[in-house]
Amino acid sequence: MSSSPQGWPAPQQPQPPVPSIPGASQPSANTNGLAITSLITGVVCLVPPLGLILGALALRQIKRKGDRGKGLAVAGMVLSLISTALVAAGLATGSFKEAVDKAREVKEEIASSSSAFSLRTGDCFNQPGGTGSEQEVERVKSVKCDQPHDAEVTGAFQLTGTEYPGVPAIEKLAEERCFKISEEYSLDSWAVPENAVTYYYHPTEESWRQIKDRTVTCAFAAETGKLTGSLRADATTLDADQVAYLKAMNGVDNVLFEEPEEDPEVDFDGNVKWAGTVEKSLGESIAQLKGHTFPGASAQPVADVVKELEKARKHWAKAATAADADTFWEHYEPGYDALPLALGKDARTALKLSTTPPAAPTS
């Protein structure tokens, strides 16, 4: 009969016992299998007491069957006895527990270290050296968001093209796209701490060429200190009323942020055009707030916000049609006064949103 494909001999058919030939020597006794197993168990310390048990069973079989291996069984029992004593001593002194804890720490350290290329939306992580300066990074340490951390991923986008666009071009695009991505990730700008800044990873020329890296990863990062707690505030964490209010109000904040750098005396046309954009944005925000039915205690505070927006809108409409800089200023200041930093605080309280307005910008 041929051997099996794995190379092991094929099983043989049982043969009838062959009677011994008078005067011929008898075959030597077999080595007891339990004795061998007892020795192996004692050597490798798999389960220290197991070697004692197997050794005792082996001695009984050896005595009954006449097998060889008594020395092996005794050696296995001795080694298992020593292993059992060492483990018992380790448990008593705590050194065994310390070794296990240390091994667990090393395992967790390795598990939490991951490639910077594997970061996903919502991940919180620490970066070697922190996030206060620009540097090339290959590995980061993932942490739970309720623990102090350097940054939190808000999203990502892909670069296009075959040629590396260069760092300045990538940075310009990343600053614009990551700002919008982070804003969508955290609709409640009031809840974003002052030390959190928009941050991003972008491909280097080497990673672009060698591993076809095209991903720009956006994040909130701690400019100083650490971040604690997730900054995510979108449809996955907020209810429909909170989302409706924040999206309506964020439109106004965004357009105010685009104010021209030069005063109307220097850039009159730019300021008038911007005032028209503000007036349009206010109209859209008013329509969004009126178009959503806010429940219970939030209905009246939101209605009060609408009144303030309508008041401000009238001034911005006049600023957008001003004939000169003096007329522009006449409506610019009351238009801004109708949109204070704390506008909507009562509505936010009713909607259970952050109620601490952002700090006033410093000149």
Side-chain angles (χ1 to χ4, degrees):
M1 187 176 287
S2 65
S3 297
S4 66
Q6 287 77 20
W8 294 99
Q12 302 296 316
Q13 296 297 326
Q15 299 293 331
V18 178
S20 60
I21 301 174
S25 61
Q26 296 295 323
S28 60
N30 295 322
T31 301
N32 186 271
L34 284 178
I36 298 173
T37 305
S38 173
L39 179 63
I40 294 173
T41 304
V43 171
V44 300
C45 300
L46 290 174
V47 182
L50 182 60
L52 287 169
I53 298 171
L54 294 176
L57 292 174
L59 290 177
R60 292 178 61 183
Q61 289 186 2
I62 290 170
K63 184 177 181 181
R64 186 174 68 253
K65 297 181 179 181
D67 291 343
R68 293 186 303 172
K70 183 177 180 180
L72 298 177
V74 172
M77 293 175 69
V78 171
L79 291 173
S80 294
L81 183 62
I82 295 173
S83 300
T84 302
L86 290 175
V87 171
L91 291 173
T93 60
S95 59
F96 186 73
K97 181 178 182 301
E98 290 178 5
V100 173
D101 290 342
K102 187 65 177 178
R104 185 182 296 112
E105 289 178 6
V106 172
K107 179 181 177 182
E108 291 176 352
E109 181 73 20
I110 294 173
S112 65
S113 179
S114 57
S115 169
F117 299 104
S118 66
L119 289 170
R120 297 294 180 268
T121 301
D123 288 349
C124 294
F125 63 93
N126 286 322
Q127 175 180 289
T131 53
S133 59
E134 184 177 338
Q135 59 179 306
E136 289 189 17
V137 176
E138 291 185 1
R139 302 197 69 80
V140 297
K141 182 179 180 181
S142 298
V143 298
K144 294 181 179 179
C145 290
D146 58 2
Q147 298 176 355
H149 52 273
D150 290 330
E152 178 177 356
V153 180
T154 58
F157 67 92
Q158 298 293 313
L159 298 171
T160 58
T162 56
E163 298 295 326
Y164 186 66
V167 173
I170 295 176
E171 289 183 341
K172 181 179 179 180
L173 181 61
E175 288 173 4
E176 177 184 342
R177 294 285 299 275
C178 284
F179 178 82
K180 293 180 179 179
I181 288 173
S182 296
E183 181 187 57
E184 287 295 318
Y185 183 83
S186 186
L187 293 171
D188 190 357
S189 60
W190 289 28
V192 178
E194 293 184 18
N195 69 325
V197 296
T198 302
Y199 194 79
Y200 51 86
Y201 288 130
H202 65 78
T204 63
E205 188 169 4
E206 184 179 15
S207 68
W208 178 283
R209 183 180 65 257
Q210 293 185 355
I211 61 174
K212 309 300 181 183
D213 179 22
R214 302 292 188 271
T215 303
V216 175
T217 302
C218 308
F220 277 125
E223 187 174 29
T224 58
K226 296 280 188 177
L227 302 178
T228 303
S230 176
L231 299 181
R232 191 164 199 163
D234 56 15
T236 66
T237 61
L238 303 174
D239 62 40
D241 301 313
Q242 293 171 322
V243 171
Y245 180 81
L246 291 171
K247 284 190 173 183
M249 297 302 291
N250 286 349
V252 177
D253 291 338
N254 290 340
V255 74
L256 291 175
F257 183 74
E258 297 171 356
E259 180 176 1
E261 294 184 5
E262 301 292 346
D263 288 341
E265 287 84 0
V266 178
D267 183 13
F268 179 73
D269 291 340
N271 279 269
V272 167
K273 182 179 179 180
W274 167 69
T277 304
V278 175
E279 188 275 332
K280 180 181 178 182
S281 177
L282 288 169
E284 293 172 349
S285 296
I286 292 169
Q288 290 178 48
L289 293 175
K290 285 185 174 181
H292 184 88
T293 302
F294 289 91
S298 65
Q300 187 56 52
V302 172
D304 293 338
V305 171
V306 171
K307 291 180 181 179
E308 294 298 319
L309 296 179
E310 290 175 335
K311 179 181 177 181
R313 185 185 182 189
K314 293 177 182 178
H315 287 289
W316 288 105
K318 292 180 179 179
T321 58
D324 51 54
D326 290 338
T327 305
F328 180 90
W329 285 120
E330 287 178 9
H331 298 287
Y332 170 91
E333 293 182 1
Y336 246 123
D337 290 342
L339 302 171
L341 290 173
L343 177 64
K345 185 175 181 179
D346 291 341
R348 283 174 162 273
T349 300
L351 291 168
K352 297 181 180 180
L353 293 168
S354 176
T355 56
T356 303
T362 57
S363 56

